[in-house]
Amino acid sequence: MPKPESFPIEKIFVPTKQKKTLKPETVAEVAESMLEIGQQAPISVRLDGDRLVLVEGLHRLEACKALGETTIIGVLVTAELAQHKPQLAERPEVEAERIKMARLKQLRLEKEAAEASTSALRGAGATDAPRTRLAKGVRDNPKASPGRTAKAAPKSLSAWITQQKGSGGRY
């Protein structure tokens, strides 16, 4: 394992991808801890030409900057070691959080689908009259064409013939 040494903070380059993971509340906590007990764990940096590139320890680096430090304790690692650094997904607590969030998303989607189907059923039931047993031949489809719906039974034979002629039926 490389020996910890002091590096000038201004010469350490932080990749943009790492900057996006910065959490100000974590920086504040680390800075507070550094004021009380000092820097306990060194950061990891690697050489890239004449500059140093941060490999690990973004919150510690930002905490030192916030405290006005000009140097930070770190270890110089080779590019090969930097490539093989453990990814966040390999940490058990991060993986557990990812699984939890995926499960919550699935539950939310299932709940939304159930609510949508329930409201669709309610919506369909609210517009239709309650379905009761209808007389034989009477249709309850409100979209059916007028000629296809059952009409009131005619009172006389001539009324029935007139009804049949009007609807195009044979008599």
Side-chain angles (χ1 to χ4, degrees):
M1 170 124 182
K3 188 174 181 178
E5 52 186 292
S6 183
F7 295 103
I9 291 176
E10 69 212 19
K11 295 206 178 200
I12 299 174
F13 170 76
V14 181
T16 307
K17 212 174 197 180
Q18 275 188 328
K19 285 181 186 176
K20 291 179 181 179
T21 64
L22 186 67
K23 296 179 184 171
E25 61 275 0
T26 305
V27 172
E29 290 173 13
V30 171
E32 203 172 291
S33 172
M34 283 183 171
L35 280 174
E36 291 175 16
I37 58 175
Q39 183 182 350
Q40 297 297 304
I43 65 168
S44 299
V45 292
R46 66 177 173 82
L47 276 174
D48 183 29
D50 60 343
R51 70 178 180 177
L52 297 167
V53 177
L54 182 70
V55 174
E56 191 172 22
L58 176 64
H59 292 99
R60 286 170 277 170
L61 177 67
E62 293 298 322
C64 282
K65 282 182 186 178
L67 293 172
E69 297 289 329
T70 57
T71 61
I72 188 167
I73 305 293
V75 291
L76 189 62
V77 295
T78 61
E80 292 83 34
L81 284 176
Q83 297 267 333
H84 299 297
K85 117 180 156 161
Q87 298 296 317
L88 289 177
E90 294 174 9
R91 294 183 186 167
E93 65 274 5
V94 174
E95 184 65 17
E97 183 70 17
R98 187 189 63 75
I99 291 170
K100 177 182 160 187
M101 294 307 290
R103 185 168 171 259
L104 287 173
K105 181 180 179 183
Q106 181 64 31
L107 289 172
R108 180 179 52 81
L109 292 173
E110 287 173 2
K111 181 182 175 187
E112 287 174 359
E115 287 174 353
S117 66
T118 302
S119 66
L121 288 174
R122 278 194 210 129
T127 58
D128 292 344
R131 296 183 188 243
T132 58
R133 186 163 180 106
L134 300 171
K136 186 176 179 181
V138 176
R139 295 180 53 156
D140 61 341
N141 185 354
K143 294 182 180 178
S145 64
R148 310 253 316 152
T149 57
K151 296 186 169 125
K155 296 189 184 222
S156 67
L157 180 58
S158 63
W160 180 82
I161 293 172
T162 307
Q163 181 184 12
Q164 291 297 315
K165 284 182 183 178
S167 64
R170 290 211 256 146
Y171 57 93

